[in-house]
């Protein structure tokens, strides 16, 4: 039983299907290219369930929200990360008061990187997901390096907080959960990447790179087992 079907869950479930009798995948949302329980994955023994597990029973059965059940020898969580920064201090510490984690929202952070109360001395690299990860991390690193070196300037603490508040208000108005705060896949494609690149004086991402990413995402949905080899 694999819980989660983002890139890691997709890859791991397919690897396991080569040796397991059956592999079942539970996800919160519908599969990207099929609906409901299906074996249309290129593997006859790999099942996708577009619902989550409601409970585990004493005999080892896992019961889904739709009432169906299976028995599994292993339950593997591919559900992402829970952000936690205990080294930032206890509840009475200035750092702890400036940074908190609420339902996986690390904040307040200006553009997912700088906490306004502590900038530029504290910054976060690599929080965003559903993006081109290492490109984003590189751009964020260049931005932080530019700020620390004095080549680039940040807005005032007040201006950064206003930006954060506006971002949170927009998320709330759209009904987005806090745990989606750092999800770059829900807005305009490449808007964040282009913004950070421009802050660094690099210009917007090249069109060919954007096209390659879009094409790869489509190939992943159409041919998840072979798209890397094509």
């Amino acid at each position: 039983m694999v819980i989660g079907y983002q890139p890691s869950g997709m890859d791991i479930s397919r690897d396991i299907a080569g040796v397991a009798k059956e592999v079942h995948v539970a996800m919160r949302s519908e599969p990207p290219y099929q609906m409901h329980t299906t074996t249309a994955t290129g593997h006859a023994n790999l099942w996708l369930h577009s619902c989550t597990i409601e409970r585990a029973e004493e005999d080892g059965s896992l019961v889904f929200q739709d009432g169906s059940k299976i028995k599994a020898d292993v339950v593997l969580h591919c559900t992402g990360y829970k952000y936690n920064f205990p080294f930032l201090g206890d509840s009475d510490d200035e750092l702890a008061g400036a940074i908190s984690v609420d339902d996986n929202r690390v904040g307040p952070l200006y553009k997912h990187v700088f906490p306004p109360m502590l900038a530029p001395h504290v910054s976060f690299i690599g929080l965003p997901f559903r993006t081109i990860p290492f490109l984003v991390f590189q751009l964020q690193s260049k931005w932080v390096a530019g700020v620390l070196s004095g080549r680039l300037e940040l807005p005032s603490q007040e201006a950064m907080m206003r930006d954060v508040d506006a971002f949170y208000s927009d998320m709330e108005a759209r009904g987005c959960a806090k745990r989606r705060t750092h999800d770059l896949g829900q807005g305009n494609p490449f808007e964040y990447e282009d913004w950070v690149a421009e802050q660094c004086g690099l210009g917007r991402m090249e069109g060919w790179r954007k096209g390659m990413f879009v094409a790869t995402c489509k190939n992943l949905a159409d041919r998840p087992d072979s798209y890397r080899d094509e």
Side-chain angles (χ1 to χ4, degrees):
M1 182 73 241
V2 176
I3 302 177
Y5 202 57
Q6 292 301 315
S8 293
M10 294 178 68
D11 287 344
I12 290 171
S13 63
R14 282 168 163 75
D15 286 344
I16 297 172
V19 295
K21 180 180 179 181
E22 286 187 2
V23 178
H24 293 261
V25 180
M27 65 197 80
R28 284 178 174 160
S29 57
E30 293 177 349
Y33 50 93
Q34 290 291 332
M35 296 176 60
H36 311 300
T37 302
T38 177
T39 56
T41 59
H43 297 269
N45 63 336
L46 176 56
W47 294 77
L48 306 181
H49 303 262
S50 58
C51 58
T52 57
I53 297 171
E54 184 174 283
R55 67 182 185 277
E57 299 187 333
E58 291 185 2
D59 65 354
S61 296
L62 302 174
V63 182
F64 293 95
Q65 290 176 322
D66 62 4
S68 61
K69 65 170 61 177
I70 65 164
K71 281 193 175 183
D73 300 302
V74 176
V75 177
L76 183 61
H77 291 261
C78 297
T79 49
Y81 299 93
K82 287 186 176 180
Y83 299 128
N84 184 33
F85 305 100
F87 51 84
L88 288 182
D90 56 34
S91 58
D92 297 325
D93 190 272
E94 179 187 0
L95 287 173
I99 293 292
S100 65
V101 181
D102 182 9
D103 192 22
N104 244 25
R105 168 186 283 176
V106 183
L109 292 181
Y110 177 62
K111 305 301 185 184
H112 307 285
V113 175
F114 289 103
M117 290 178 60
L118 303 173
H121 308 295
V122 176
S123 58
F124 291 78
I125 304 295
L127 291 178
F129 56 96
R130 289 218 299 164
T131 180
I132 309 176
F134 295 107
L135 174 65
V136 168
F137 306 161
Q138 181 185 38
L139 290 172
Q140 290 179 327
S141 299
K142 287 180 179 292
W143 185 27
V144 171
V147 171
L148 292 177
S149 70
R151 291 185 296 104
L152 305 175
E153 291 187 5
L154 290 173
S156 67
Q157 178 179 323
E158 294 75 16
M160 287 191 286
M161 279 304 308
R162 286 196 298 270
D163 185 273
V164 173
D165 290 340
F167 175 53
Y168 290 170
S169 297
D170 178 68
M171 284 191 63
E172 184 176 356
R174 291 186 286 114
C176 295
K178 287 183 179 179
R179 62 185 175 84
R180 293 292 184 185
T181 296
H182 308 293
D183 179 359
L184 299 187
Q186 60 184 343
N188 295 326
F190 311 112
E191 180 181 27
Y192 179 78
E193 293 87 337
D194 284 339
W195 186 90
V196 178
E198 289 182 338
Q199 299 307 299
C200 301
L202 300 176
R204 293 174 173 249
M205 191 192 313
E206 306 93 323
W208 65 264
R209 194 186 299 270
K210 295 177 180 179
M212 180 181 291
F213 178 74
V214 171
T216 300
C217 290
K218 182 179 185 302
N219 291 338
L220 169 62
D222 294 340
R223 298 178 295 281
D225 288 295
S226 62
Y227 78 99
R228 289 189 179 94
D229 304 320
E230 296 174 353

